[in-house]
Structure formats: C-alpha cells, structure tokens
Amino acid sequence: MKEKVYKILENVTDPEIPVLTIQDLGIVRDVRIEGEEAIEIVITPTYSGCPAMSVIAAHIKMELMANGFKNVKVTEVFSPAWTTDWLSESGKKKLKEYGIAPPVAQARLEKLLFQVPPSVNCPRCGSDKTNLISEFGSTSCKSLMRCDDCLEPFDYFKCH
Ligand SMILES: [Zn+2]
C-alpha cells in the first residue's frame, strides 16, 4: 500500500523546478495509512513560507484522489528543518541537467564558519571559475551566478 502511494507521489513535482519530484527534494517525511481510503502525507517545507508548498500540497491531494483515495490529508512538519542535504543524488543530477548548479555539499557549514560563498561549478561547462551576481535568482531559493569561462549566467540552488 505504502509502496503504491510513493509511486503515485513520483508524479508530484516542484512547481519551480518541474524536473524535480518531491521525492528528489526529499520533503516527504512519512506516509500514514489511516483506513481503506484515508491517508496522511507528512511533508517538510523546503523553507518556511515557500509559496511552492501550497501548490505541492494541492498537487499531492489531486494525484492521490485521482488514484482512488477519498480522504487525503497533507501535514507540514517543520522540525527537523529541511536542508539541501536531503536532495537525492538523482535530484542533484536532474538539477544540473536542467541548468541549475546543485547545492555544494558542506557549503552550508563553510558559509557558517568562514563566511565565504561556496565554489560552485558551472552546470554547462563544469568550470569552477564562477561568480555570484545576486543572492536572489529567479526565485528566493536560488542565487544568480555567472561562469567566467563560458560567460553564461546560471542559477545556483542555494544551500540552507
Ligand atoms: Zn561555464
């Protein structure tokens, strides 16, 4: 039963980055079967106040209802807080293919300790000569960066 639910949840994608499923994001914390047709999905928002979350919650309900579940509840839990470490490896790969530099592992810690921006590789040519143009890219989850080698701007999925 749970397996079937997880399978259905693979159809739910991030409205901001449609190549990423919510499984790739790692935000599905629990699936609780509460009877024949009743189900509760527990998710952790990628960051509090992310406007995409209400879209995701609605999408989860729609997908499950389309698959015969009549009573679907989506609960948000905020602790422990989501971090980019929860992104799956396939999710990071998809991000890169989509032209967004995936979060650099350990970057969060380095930023905390040394106050330096992480060295981010260009998703197009792989160069590490990249510069931060703006803390905020197309959405607040991303920074806008530019590659010094291919001179292309790109989004970086920020660590937090
Ligand atoms: Zn480049």
Side-chain angles (χ1 to χ4, degrees), residues 4-62:
K4 185 186 158 199
V5 172
Y6 277 111
K7 197 105 194 122
I8 296 166
L9 292 179
E10 280 172 19
N11 297 323
V12 182
T13 52
D14 182 340
E16 286 172 359
I17 309 165
V19 289
L20 288 187
T21 69
I22 53 174
Q23 314 275 56
D24 291 328
L25 284 167
I27 62 172
V28 180
R29 306 315 302 159
D30 202 6
V31 168
R32 292 176 189 148
I33 314 281
E34 294 179 334
E36 267 308 281
E37 293 157 335
I39 193 165
E40 182 180 9
I41 309 295
V42 182
I43 57 174
T44 295
T46 49
Y47 68 95
S48 55
C50 185
M53 292 314 289
S54 57
V55 179
I56 289 173
H59 196 168
I60 289 173
K61 284 186 187 168
M62 267 168 42

Side-chain angles (χ1 to χ4, degrees), residues 121-127 129-130 146-152 154:
N121 287 77
C122 169
R124 288 187 183 84
C125 69
S127 167
K129 294 190 197 69
T130 55
R146 202 174 81 133
C147 175
D148 286 342
D149 280 331
C150 66
L151 304 176
E152 290 289 330
F154 64 91

Side-chain angles (χ1 to χ4, degrees), residues 86-143:
W86 293 8
L87 271 173
S88 72
E89 285 309 310
S90 78
K92 287 177 190 167
K93 205 167 144 249
K94 285 188 203 168
L95 269 179
K96 201 175 161 193
E97 285 162 6
Y98 192 61
I100 298 174
V104 176
Q106 294 296 312
R108 215 158 23 102
L109 190 66
E110 278 173 32
K111 202 175 170 190
L112 277 176
L113 290 175
F114 310 112
Q115 297 288 311
V116 289
S119 58
V120 176
N121 287 77
C122 169
R124 288 187 183 84
C125 69
S127 167
D128 59 0
K129 294 190 197 69
T130 55
N131 286 302
L132 183 70
I133 298 176
S134 163
E135 259 312 307
F136 297 98
S138 53
T139 71
S140 50
C141 319
K142 289 173 242 145
S143 303

